[in-house]
Amino acid sequence: MSDAIGPGDLVLCVNTAPNHVTGWPVPLQAGETYVVFAVMEFACPCGRSDALLDVGVDFAWCQSRFRLLPKPKAEEKPRAASKPKETEKV
């Protein structure tokens, strides 16, 4: 999965279990999105992933805690508002 993730990508936090190396609670919030600042090609000690992600919270987290969100397919463009029909007064 580390090939698919790169700096600037959005990821969704799906796992807020305690740190699997130290056992300390993690400051991440389940269901929140984070921007990836860096991908470190370093095998996590848990054996579940081949990279650590830096999302700006503490140092780096196992990528198994995140799911890659799809990139937006198109940009929103402003649309013209419809005008009300004019009626004649009788």
Side-chain angles (χ1 to χ4, degrees):
M1 185 167 128
S2 64
D3 295 337
I5 296 178
D9 286 340
L10 285 176
V11 290
L12 177 70
C13 179
V14 295
N15 182 354
T16 57
N19 189 319
H20 46 259
V21 176
T22 63
W24 296 342
V26 299
L28 302 171
Q29 297 292 320
E32 286 196 13
T33 57
Y34 296 93
V35 177
V36 176
F37 293 118
V39 178
M40 292 165 255
E41 300 294 330
F42 178 77
C44 188
C46 72
R48 290 183 231 149
S49 68
D50 59 350
L52 298 175
L53 302 180
D54 180 9
V55 293
V57 178
D58 281 350
F59 178 64
W61 300 100
C62 178
Q63 74 181 23
S64 66
R65 292 187 182 270
F66 303 98
R67 296 292 173 262
L68 180 63
L69 292 175
K71 293 185 180 183
K73 293 183 180 181
E75 294 181 17
E76 289 187 28
K77 294 181 180 177
R79 294 183 180 184
S82 60
K83 296 180 182 178
K85 294 182 180 179
E86 294 183 20
T87 56
E88 291 184 27
K89 294 184 180 181
V90 177

